[in-house]
Amino acid sequence: MNKMVICCAFLMVSFLVSAEDGSKLWLRGKAVSAEVAAKRQIVIHSESIVVGLASKELEQYWAGSSVELIVDKKLKKLKDGYTISSSGRGLTICAGEEIGLLYGAYHLLRLQQEGKDLQRIAIEEIPDYDVRMLNHWDNLDGSIERGYAGQSLWKWEDLPRTISPRYAQYARANASIGINATVLNNVNASPQILHSDYLVKVKALADIFRKYGIRVYLSINFSSPKILDGLENSDPSNKEVQRWWKSKVKEIYTLIPDFGGFLVKANSEGQPGPQDYGRTHADGANMLADALKPYNGLVMWRAFVYSPTKEDRAKQAYLEFMPLDGQFRDNVIIQIKNGPVDFQPREPFTPLFGAMRQTAGMVEFQITQEYLGFSNHLVYLAPLFKETLDSDTYADGSGSTVAKITDGTLRPAYKTAIAGVANIGEDENWTGHHFAQANWYAFGRLAWNHALSSEQIAEEWLKQTFTDEQQFLKPMIHMMMTSREAAVNYMMPLGLHHIFAFDHHYGPEPWGDRQGGRPDWMPWYYHNANSAGLGFDRSATGSNAVSQYFPPLDRIYGDLETCPENLLLWFHQVPWSHKMKNGHTMWEELCYKYDEGVQQVRQFQKVWDGLESHVDSQRFAAVQSKLRIQAQDAIWWKDACLLYFQTFSKQPIPYDIERPIHELEDLKKIKLNMSYHN
Ligand code: BDP
């Protein structure tokens, strides 16, 4: 070998060693040496696979003292949680259910990874929600609706025979943060998922996930009986249809004894549902609930229903579901998007939370960034999740937060649940953007404990995923913590919403219009810009959506003077000259907010570049490049929205902020070639 070849080989090897594609997520513990392992014991008293896994994780990665893992079925109050305590001899993890031991093991490993003091430990962890679930919007052809991290992880063609190693890696990552349920397929569901050929594939996945405490659920198409088996209709009051579902459910449970249940999008955006037959959502949900009940299965019935009527879209879920309160079986949970329109950068909470007193409700968040820059923008979503969970509904007086309404504290429930629409695909780094992994992580952590602060979760994640060096952590926690507000600023400040480009939802299109298209899919429906002002009047003089909120929120939101300024244009059509609290006019404030958003992203770039020495070169370059896209997009958003709204406000952009660098007419010509899927 000549010198050149040796040198190249050496470079190759060192590249491979340092190659960092992000595939390890936050699970980067180093395997302990035989010497360290010999000094301590991991003691278990069970043959079960889950307990075996807990012990294996500790054997491999735990560098501390001995650990004993004990299941005590009497510890019911822990649910699937655990305690960890220390004594002279070492540590003990106790749980009421076997899976609790695995969660406890991951907790210990997390503390170790974070460099926490492990000498004296007294931990008790009880999860806030029973069902902590991901919703995959994955189609059977491998595409993902609103997926920005490549194709689906599920290789339906190859299942059940070929098992990708990523299935177990996925399950392990979820278990490490307490996620215990997964809906495998898109809410816009193909009936085929219930075909026997597919159910054996689903079983293969369920068999892998079970070891990690994860139950599989499926989205179903309400017309399945008719489409799959040629029944005359899929009317829930038709006895044959009821029988069909009962026998389908039996078939599923024979294959998958711990199957979780169904997620249903019915009579929404063109999906079939009970209303096709003059029946109600309750009729449809109850039919499925009755079929699932003997197996303790659940129905997650989505409240995301709206139709192009004269009624404000933001009011429709409430109008549809309130009259049905009390009519649902106890194993039905109404799955409600955090905001009343649709996963926007900022929305108030959906007023159905708290209003339904006799029906279980759960929050649905979107982890995939359909409306937040796809996998191109660094937007840390824990503050958005917390904003909803901590919102006071005032349903039972002050302190009735969305979290307390949904976690069983204020509304007894057969099972409590929370869902997040997954941002996971087959990309090496799972989520497209390295920092989008933090949103998967944050969802899991908050589903377990909604009282955790966004800062704490960011810090945990950064320490495990990158490094615990303070010079890195401090600026990066700050960047993550401000990133959601930055996105709101450069996209839709002051309560603006849904002014996205049609269909794919990437980039601005406040001027957007489609001949003959549904008004409630058009930006003008939401921003109502005209010479008088900007915003949607949802006060008593407008759509009166404010009346769906409990006092005093109805009054607070309904009055221009008391409405929080970050929701002003959500609830009011505001004159351009309206004086804001800081003395700016609404128009000036809009300009400053857009500018602030752009400046924030430019600052993110500077901070990241300055941290190069703390990050491996591969992830450094990847994030740097994404931040460049984000900065360009932020300017695009600002120019598009300000130049367009200026045609109504007819006022100058304040002279102390950056001037637009685009022409409005050029921006209007941009048509991104993006499909709905991927
Ligand atoms: C919207 C998405 C659409 C989903 C829908 C839903 O644009 O792709 O099918 O939500 O949640 O935001 O059903």
Side-chain angles (χ1 to χ4, degrees), residues 137 145-146 187-188 265 269 302 304 337 342 370-371 505 676:
W137 284 359
E145 181 150 339
R146 314 307 181 179
V187 284
N188 298 318
K265 173 174 178 179
E269 296 185 332
R302 295 177 90 224
F304 180 66
K337 288 190 181 183
D342 199 354
E370 173 182 355
Y371 297 96
H505 301 154
Y676 190 78

Side-chain angles (χ1 to χ4, degrees), residues 608-625:
W608 184 252
D609 283 1
L611 293 171
E612 183 165 4
S613 62
H614 299 272
V615 186
D616 54 275
S617 54
Q618 206 177 340
R619 284 188 296 173
F620 175 78
V623 173
Q624 183 182 53
S625 153

